[in-house]
Amino acid sequence: MNTPDVLNVGHDCGACPIRHRAVCARCEADELQTLEQIKYYRSYQAGQTVIWSGDRMDFVASVVTGIATLTQTMEDGRRQMVGLLLPSDFVGRPGRQVAAYDVTATTDLVMCCFRKKPFEEMMAKTPHVAQRLLEMTLDELDAAREWMLLLGRKTAREKIASLLAIIARRDAHLKLKSAKGNIVFDLPLTREEMADYLGLTLETVSRQVSALKRDGVIVLEGKRHIVVPDFDRLLEETGDDSDGGLLV
Amino acid sequence: MNTPDVLNVGHDCGACPIRHRAVCARCEADELQTLEQIKYYRSYQAGQTVIWSGDRMDFVASVVTGIATLTQTMEDGRRQMVGLLLPSDFVGRPGRQVAAYDVTATTDLVMCCFRKKPFEEMMAKTPHVAQRLLEMTLDELDAAREWMLLLGRKTAREKIASLLAIIARRDAHLKLKSAKGNIVFDLPLTREEMADYLGLTLETVSRQVSALKRDGVIVLEGKRHIVVPDFDRLLEETGDDSDGGLLV
DNA sequence: GACACGCTTTGACCTACATCAAACTGAAAG
DNA sequence: CTTTCAGTTTGATGTAGGTCAAAGCGTGTC
């Protein structure tokens, strides 16, 4: 096995077309050996909670397969998703003892974990890892800020379109397919989870998904399987700038 | 001068009570010398735009005095603030050529800048800096996620109370005062800027500020000067958990 | 086959906040 | 002292999305 999960975290290889996933010629570097020694796997079933906010968290991890969410809950039960973790995403914060969010598996989930202590020691020694982690965290921060624009200023319809576009893009990217023609993917979230992502109610999500379907922006096969016949059309519905955020 | 601005970025000294601000015994470390050589200052007047989204950005910087905001704007003019930069906060992303957000001075502003190229070279050499930057970015990510909960799920009144609490805390912290008794501070934002922060309109902000004043949660002296007679009371109005997010 | 259970859709109604509009306030400019 | 202007407040009205309620749908179970 080529341990792509380990590469996600430890290594940034310019030669790899898809940085977080590909196998890389420099796999023998020291930090990878170290990571290899301290890693272990955990599996969770769909719906299982990985960690509760406030729990002691003695590991960091990266998602290998499946989807997990980070959510915050208010005392009265209002919930807001604050992170959507797809394969190759990183969970956990070096330097923090206690989880700040609920982490939940929304599909069956496999994570590649590293015990926090040795991971931090390794980080202190190998600048590679800290730099890669910084880069990944900055990407997450950008995503969070786009998400803030969505939550604060977009209409319900724009929110739905944006979420579909995000998932479609991630999905297509992970499958290495180009974005020409039909884009097909399975929604990994229930209406309620979509609502928690978007700051809406599930009823509003349902209505707006139906509306996009009625207007021919998407085609629904069953409840979960989605076909996007014209990706540009979907992007128009998001309210985002047309130049599509190609910042480097 | 003890160059506290430089310390913000380059150094994490456990001995300093207030980490980002204090002067530190290890100031002679190499990276500080390097930073010292490549730094320069820029001043902006209140209202001036520091960088437009999409502009080439050849420096990174930290705020020395004053307040700046990061905002995103949609084609039709809807605006959402996505970052509020107070003294000691960091702007700019190593590795990115182009600004992703509008950066605006909301008060007179002094920034301590570092040209990007030498800063990045220095980062590659001194792990200290990358690690400090990672830590700061993770803090920002947490702040962004709390902000997402605010935007997605809080009522207008809770949003206002939360913003006041955030500013009060930052302000008190920067002044090294304890949080007992009256907390007094000047609002650094106009109603419109508050609205852009909170995903509201300025009219709603005005109404809710008046309501909090009517209910005795805050005392307004003029339009900007605010007295919080009972900080716990204000916190109750935020809708947040009472244990106040003391995550380490 | 019928039942139960989780998820989704649809409808009727309601309300928090947006929108539009006008008046107020205070500081700066002449 | 008057004018101007940016920022703010306040009021009247509109509406997107929330709330409550009921019905539909697919899958697994007895």
Side-chain angles (χ1 to χ4, degrees):
Chain A
M1 185 184 175
N2 283 310
T3 63
D5 40 7
V6 172
L7 283 175
N8 299 342
V9 177
H11 221 57
D12 173 1
C13 171
C16 305
I18 304 298
R19 195 159 54 198
H20 303 316
R21 302 293 299 166
V23 175
C24 163
R26 298 191 297 179
C27 287
E28 303 308 314
D30 294 336
E31 66 267 30
L32 289 181
Q33 297 299 333
T34 313
L35 282 171
E36 198 59 48
Q37 284 159 22
I38 65 174
K39 83 171 183 183
Y40 60 100
Y41 291 92
R42 294 197 191 190
S43 300
Y44 299 87
Q45 293 178 350
Q48 242 187 313
T49 296
V50 177
I51 323 151
W52 294 102
S53 166
D55 279 4
R56 195 173 172 74
M57 192 174 171
D58 55 355
F59 63 95
V60 297
S62 70
V63 175
V64 179
T65 58
I67 290 171
T69 62
L70 303 185
T71 55
Q72 276 184 305
T73 309
M74 294 170 71
E75 283 151 331
D76 61 4
R78 280 176 281 174
R79 283 160 51 88
Q80 177 63 52
M81 199 187 292
V82 296
L84 182 62
L85 303 170
L86 303 184
S88 91
D89 284 336
F90 187 80
V91 210
R93 168 163 182 171
R96 171 176 291 163
Q97 306 301 327
V98 158
Y101 315 102
D102 297 334
V103 182
T104 312
T106 63
T107 65
D108 289 346
L109 179 72
V110 177
M111 298 206 304
C112 176
C113 304
F114 308 93
R115 282 182 303 116
K116 173 108 48 57
K117 192 103 180 295
F119 186 84
E120 282 169 0
E121 286 164 9
M122 186 269 307
M123 246 183 72
K125 269 181 263 165
T126 58
H128 252 97
V129 177
Q131 272 168 41
R132 183 78 260 274
L133 219 45
L134 174 59
E135 197 182 309
M136 290 170 72
T137 307
L138 284 164
D139 285 342
E140 264 192 279
L141 187 56
D142 282 336
R145 283 171 167 162
E146 207 167 310
W147 200 335
M148 283 167 56
L149 175 65
L150 177 150
L151 289 169
R153 295 302 188 193
K154 288 190 177 179
T155 65
R157 171 183 262 245
E158 288 169 341
K159 286 179 176 183
I160 301 285
S162 302
L163 175 56
L164 294 178
I166 288 169
I167 294 176
R169 250 198 284 251
R170 276 293 301 249
D171 207 63
H173 189 239
L174 292 176
K175 288 196 204 130
L176 304 180
K177 281 181 185 165
S178 84
K180 312 288 180 198
N182 275 4
I183 294 183
V184 177
F185 60 97
D186 284 306
L187 254 190
L189 304 174
T190 66
R191 296 293 120 106
E192 189 176 15
E193 286 161 346
M194 292 172 71
D196 285 342
Y197 188 111
L198 301 169
L200 297 170
T201 58
L202 69 276
E203 292 96 330
T204 300
V205 170
S206 177
R207 276 184 248 270
Q208 297 297 337
V209 170
S210 299
L212 287 175
K213 178 185 169 190
R214 172 173 41 72
D215 298 345
V217 182
I218 58 173
V219 180
L220 264 179
E221 291 167 0
K223 309 273 176 196
R224 295 296 194 88
H225 197 68
I226 292 199
V227 178
V228 180
D230 178 356
F231 195 66
D232 287 340
R233 175 71 203 288
L234 179 63
L235 287 183
E236 279 169 31
E237 296 283 352
T238 64
D240 290 332
D241 283 6
S242 38
D243 63 359
L246 279 186
L247 296 169
V248 183
Chain B
M1 183 182 176
N2 282 312
T3 64
D5 39 9
V6 172
L7 283 175
N8 299 342
V9 177
H11 221 56
D12 173 1
C13 171
C16 305
I18 304 298
R19 196 159 52 198
H20 303 318
R21 300 293 298 167
V23 175
C24 163
R26 298 190 297 180
C27 289
E28 301 309 313
D30 293 337
E31 67 266 32
L32 289 181
Q33 298 297 333
T34 313
L35 283 170
E36 197 59 47
Q37 283 159 21
I38 64 175
K39 82 171 185 182
Y40 59 100
Y41 292 91
R42 294 198 190 189
S43 299
Y44 299 87
Q45 292 177 351
Q48 242 187 314
T49 296
V50 177
I51 322 150
W52 295 101
S53 167
D55 280 4
R56 196 174 170 72
M57 191 174 171
D58 55 356
F59 62 95
V60 297
S62 68
V63 175
V64 178
T65 59
I67 289 170
T69 61
L70 303 186
T71 55
Q72 275 183 306
T73 307
M74 294 170 71
E75 282 151 332
D76 60 5
R78 281 176 282 174
R79 283 159 50 88
Q80 177 65 52
M81 198 187 292
V82 296
L84 182 62
L85 302 170
L86 304 185
S88 91
D89 283 337
F90 187 81
V91 209
R93 166 164 183 169
R96 171 177 290 164
Q97 307 299 327
V98 158
Y101 315 101
D102 298 334
V103 182
T104 313
T106 63
T107 65
D108 289 347
L109 179 72
V110 177
M111 297 205 304
C112 176
C113 304
F114 308 94
R115 282 183 302 116
K116 172 110 46 58
K117 192 103 179 298
F119 186 84
E120 282 169 0
E121 286 164 7
M122 187 269 309
M123 245 182 72
K125 268 180 264 164
T126 56
H128 251 98
V129 177
Q131 273 168 39
R132 182 80 261 272
L133 220 45
L134 174 59
E135 197 181 311
M136 290 170 72
T137 307
L138 284 165
D139 285 341
E140 263 192 280
L141 187 56
D142 282 336
R145 285 173 165 161
E146 206 167 311
W147 200 335
M148 284 167 55
L149 176 65
L150 178 150
L151 289 170
R153 294 302 187 192
K154 288 190 179 179
T155 65
R157 170 183 262 245
E158 288 169 340
K159 286 179 176 182
I160 301 287
S162 302
L163 174 55
L164 294 178
I166 287 168
I167 295 176
R169 251 198 282 252
R170 277 293 302 246
D171 207 63
H173 189 239
L174 292 175
K175 287 194 202 135
L176 304 182
K177 280 181 186 168
S178 85
K180 312 289 179 196
N182 275 6
I183 295 183
V184 177
F185 61 96
D186 284 306
L187 254 190
L189 304 174
T190 66
R191 296 292 119 106
E192 189 175 16
E193 285 161 345
M194 291 172 72
D196 285 342
Y197 188 112
L198 301 170
L200 298 170
T201 58
L202 69 278
E203 293 96 328
T204 299
V205 170
S206 177
R207 276 183 247 272
Q208 296 298 335
V209 169
S210 299
L212 287 175
K213 178 183 167 190
R214 171 172 42 70
D215 298 345
V217 181
I218 58 173
V219 180
L220 266 179
E221 292 167 1
K223 308 274 178 197
R224 294 298 193 88
H225 196 68
I226 291 200
V227 178
V228 180
D230 179 355
F231 194 65
D232 288 339
R233 174 71 204 287
L234 179 62
L235 288 184
E236 278 170 33
E237 296 283 351
T238 64
D240 290 331
D241 283 6
S242 38
D243 63 0
L246 279 186
L247 296 170
V248 184

